[in-house]
């Protein structure tokens, strides 16, 4: 079972920031937080991952709370092409399974 | 810089036939993973392979399914004697050898069983 909890769906206006929350209250000290998204009928796309520090790349920012029990993925200027299902996944850094355990994710709809 | 390549994109088989799905990892990636997505469901892990070795097959059905990643050539997911319930999208992902490297996915093979 997935170790994360996400809202089922969210809406966002085009051009505005999309903030997608994720709870991972049972996360262990050696587990990373990964974010992927799946646009309809395509393969999952890697977005970003982090351990405890906030991370930013060309696609998004990842904000992890100090206690690491939750995180937020931020798409700074959402476009219609960002409409997708977003998955938050925790994964061990080493010594654990390499597999990704996908939950149901958040269906983000970006509206014009 | 080519991504993960899967072929065929669509595959139609009749019940009882064999299905072979191929996956070429990204350049420089030595780890391969297979996932299955049944209609209207989430992705489920099937198997994790390194060159010539199966590392974790905890998600593979006990019968009819097998996977390999030979020293040369693509990874193959083989389904023998297919049944209607095998209809799904099968995704392959690859990653570099170092831990904490993200998995990058292909666009999948849609398998339909008549």
């Amino acid at each position: 079972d997935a170790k994360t909890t996400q809202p089922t769906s969210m809406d966002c206006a085009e051009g505005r920031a999309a903030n997608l929350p994720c709870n991972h209250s049972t996360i262990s000290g050696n587990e990373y937080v990964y974010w992927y998204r799946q646009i309809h009928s395509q393969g999952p796309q890697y977005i970003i991952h982090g351990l405890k520090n906030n991370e930013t790349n060309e696609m998004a920012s990842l904000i992890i709370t100090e206690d690491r029990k939750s995180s937020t993925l931020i798409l700074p200027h959402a476009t219609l092409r960002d409409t997708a299902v977003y998955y938050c996944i925790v994964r061990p850094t080493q010594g654990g399974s390499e597999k990704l355990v996908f939950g149901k994710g958040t269906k983000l709809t970006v509206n014009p | 810089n080519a991504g993960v390549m899967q072929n065929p994109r669509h595959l139609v088989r009749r019940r009882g036939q064999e299905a072979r799905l191929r996956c070429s990892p990204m350049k420089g990636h030595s780890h391969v993973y297979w996932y299955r997505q049944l209609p209207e469901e989430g992705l489920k892990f099937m198997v994790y392979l390194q060159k010539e070795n199966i590392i974790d097959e905890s998600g593979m059905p006990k019968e009819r399914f097998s996977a390999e990643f030979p020293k040369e050539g693509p990874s193959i997911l083989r389904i023998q004697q297919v049944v209607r319930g095998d209809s799904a999208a099968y995704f392959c992902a690859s990653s570099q050898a170092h831990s904490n490297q993200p998995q990058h996915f292909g666009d999948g093979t849609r398998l339909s069983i008549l």
Side-chain angles (χ1 to χ4, degrees):
Chain A
D1 289 341
K3 295 179 64 175
T4 62
T5 305
Q6 299 176 252
T8 303
S9 63
M10 293 182 65
D11 284 84
C12 177
E14 188 178 17
R16 305 297 293 267
N19 298 298
L20 292 90
C22 179
N23 284 324
H24 31 79
S25 57
T26 61
I27 193 170
S28 301
N30 69 341
E31 288 181 317
Y32 272 75
V33 179
Y34 280 78
W35 283 84
Y36 283 80
R37 71 181 181 184
Q38 188 174 25
I39 298 170
H40 180 63
S41 79
Q42 296 181 19
Q45 179 186 22
Y46 165 75
I47 301 173
I48 199 168
H49 73 286
L51 185 61
K52 53 184 177 181
N53 297 321
N54 297 337
E55 301 288 344
T56 295
N57 63 20
E58 65 278 4
M59 289 183 68
S61 294
L62 174 60
I63 308 298
I64 302 174
T65 57
E66 194 168 340
D67 63 8
R68 301 186 69 241
K69 292 181 185 291
S70 65
S71 60
T72 301
L73 179 74
I74 301 172
L75 308 178
H77 305 287
T79 71
L80 298 179
R81 288 180 293 182
D82 292 322
T83 292
V85 178
Y86 286 76
Y87 297 98
C88 169
I89 300 168
V90 298
R91 181 185 175 206
T93 56
Q94 59 186 4
S97 173
E98 295 285 335
K99 65 185 178 186
L100 296 173
V101 179
F102 288 82
K104 296 185 184 302
T106 296
K107 181 170 173 51
L108 174 69
T109 301
V110 180
N111 300 304
Chain B
N1 190 13
V4 177
M5 303 300 292
Q6 291 189 248
N7 67 83
R9 290 295 307 275
H10 301 273
L11 182 62
V12 179
R13 285 286 178 267
R14 296 187 181 279
R15 282 178 296 171
Q17 291 184 320
E18 178 179 288
R20 282 185 179 238
L21 289 62
R22 286 175 290 277
C23 169
S24 295
M26 286 179 67
K27 187 176 180 180
H29 288 191
S30 58
H31 295 200
V32 165
Y33 315 79
W34 286 92
Y35 295 80
R36 177 167 68 172
Q37 187 168 32
L38 295 169
E40 307 303 322
E41 294 190 14
L43 286 94
K44 302 292 185 189
F45 167 80
M46 300 181 75
V47 62
Y48 160 42
L49 310 101
Q50 297 175 18
K51 285 286 186 181
E52 301 184 280
N53 285 304
I54 296 175
I55 307 302
D56 180 358
E57 56 181 347
S58 59
M60 287 280 269
K62 294 288 184 278
E63 297 177 345
R64 302 185 298 107
F65 284 72
S66 62
E68 63 177 10
F69 187 19
K71 187 176 180 181
E72 301 291 337
S75 175
I76 306 288
L77 179 67
R78 181 183 178 205
I79 311 172
Q80 294 178 290
Q81 299 175 321
V82 296
V83 300
R84 287 236 171 94
D86 297 332
S87 294
Y90 291 82
F91 293 99
C92 170
S94 72
S95 71
Q96 293 179 347
H98 308 292
S99 61
N100 305 319
Q101 293 300 310
Q103 297 176 22
H104 294 274
F105 285 78
D107 277 334
T109 293
R110 270 80 183 161
L111 176 64
S112 298
I113 309 301
L114 302 180

